[in-house]
């Protein structure tokens, strides 16, 4: 039974690493859309329409970030969040209707104009590379252990 348990643990770790890699690839794809929005230099004005509540594990209070939206003439929706970093919901709601200048790419990707100079499109790409290396190292270790135990 321990052999089956060990195999299930190995498969579980591969599934976890695979899910993480898939998430990093998804976020990298989103970052490529933001990069295209910056490169297009097509500006639009979005409006703050709602809040996004987050609760970090180490805190008991909810932190609120702002959500902005813009619809182009074709009905394409552009949205994003701005970190506000407050636990005061009333204060956060006072930003409803505030306008935010964004770059858009024509395909639903956008980025705030003020965020564009510090944007790093390669951040998620590097995390993808790191995850592939971790999977490769894990595979080499697992195969080595398997060979030693069966020879």
């Amino acid at each position: 039974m321990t052999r089956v348990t060990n195999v299930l643990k190995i498969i579980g770790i591969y599934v976890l690493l695979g899910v993480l890699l898939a998430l990093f690839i998804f976020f990298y794809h989103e970052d490529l859309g933001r990069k295209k929005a910056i490169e297009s230099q097509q500006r639009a004005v979005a409006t703050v329409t709602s809040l996004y509540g987050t609760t970090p594990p180490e805190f008991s209070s909810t932190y609120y970030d702002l959500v902005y939206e813009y619809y182009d003439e074709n009905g394409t929706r552009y949205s994003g969040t701005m970190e506000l970093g407050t636990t005061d919901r009333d204060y956060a709601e006072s930003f409803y209707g505030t306008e935010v200048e964004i770059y858009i790419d024509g395909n639903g990707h956008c980025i705030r104009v003020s965020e564009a100079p510090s944007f790093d499109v390669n951040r998620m790409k590097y995390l993808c590379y790191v995850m592939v290396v971790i999977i490769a190292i894990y595979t080499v270790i697992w195969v080595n252990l398997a060979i030693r135990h069966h020879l």
Side-chain angles (χ1 to χ4, degrees):
M1 190 67 175
T2 60
R3 181 179 230 159
V4 171
T5 305
N6 288 339
V7 169
L8 288 176
K9 287 179 185 177
I10 291 167
I11 292 171
I13 291 172
Y14 272 116
V15 167
L16 175 66
L17 293 173
V19 167
L20 287 173
L21 179 59
L23 282 172
F24 292 156
I25 291 170
F26 171 78
F27 289 126
Y28 177 60
H29 180 267
E30 291 296 307
D31 283 351
L32 288 175
R34 289 182 189 93
K35 179 183 177 202
K36 287 179 185 175
I38 293 169
E39 290 170 348
S40 78
Q41 292 292 300
Q42 183 178 351
R43 293 177 182 230
V45 177
T47 304
V48 174
T49 57
S50 61
L51 302 178
Y52 176 73
T54 59
T55 306
E58 63 272 8
F59 298 106
S60 60
S61 299
T62 299
Y63 280 78
Y64 296 101
D65 295 336
L66 304 174
V67 177
Y68 57 86
E69 291 181 308
Y70 169 74
Y71 291 88
D72 69 10
E73 62 277 354
N74 299 321
T76 304
R77 179 179 180 263
Y78 299 87
S79 69
T81 59
M82 290 188 328
E83 188 175 316
L84 188 57
T86 183
T87 58
D88 185 347
R89 185 179 182 98
D90 291 334
Y91 173 70
E93 287 176 346
S94 73
F95 286 91
Y96 282 6
T98 303
E99 294 183 339
V100 179
E101 194 170 21
I102 60 174
Y103 290 121
I104 60 174
D105 73 342
N107 295 315
H109 298 103
C110 66
I111 187 169
R112 286 180 297 136
V113 170
S114 62
E115 186 183 354
S118 63
F119 177 70
D120 181 11
V121 70
N122 293 317
R123 178 181 52 121
M124 281 296 152
K125 179 172 72 172
Y126 296 141
L127 286 174
C128 290
Y129 291 156
V130 167
M131 189 56 59
V132 168
V133 168
I134 289 171
I135 291 170
I137 291 171
Y138 179 72
T139 301
V140 167
I141 291 170
W142 178 80
V143 168
N144 251 341
L145 290 174
I147 289 171
R148 286 184 188 175
H149 288 285
H150 291 286
L151 290 180

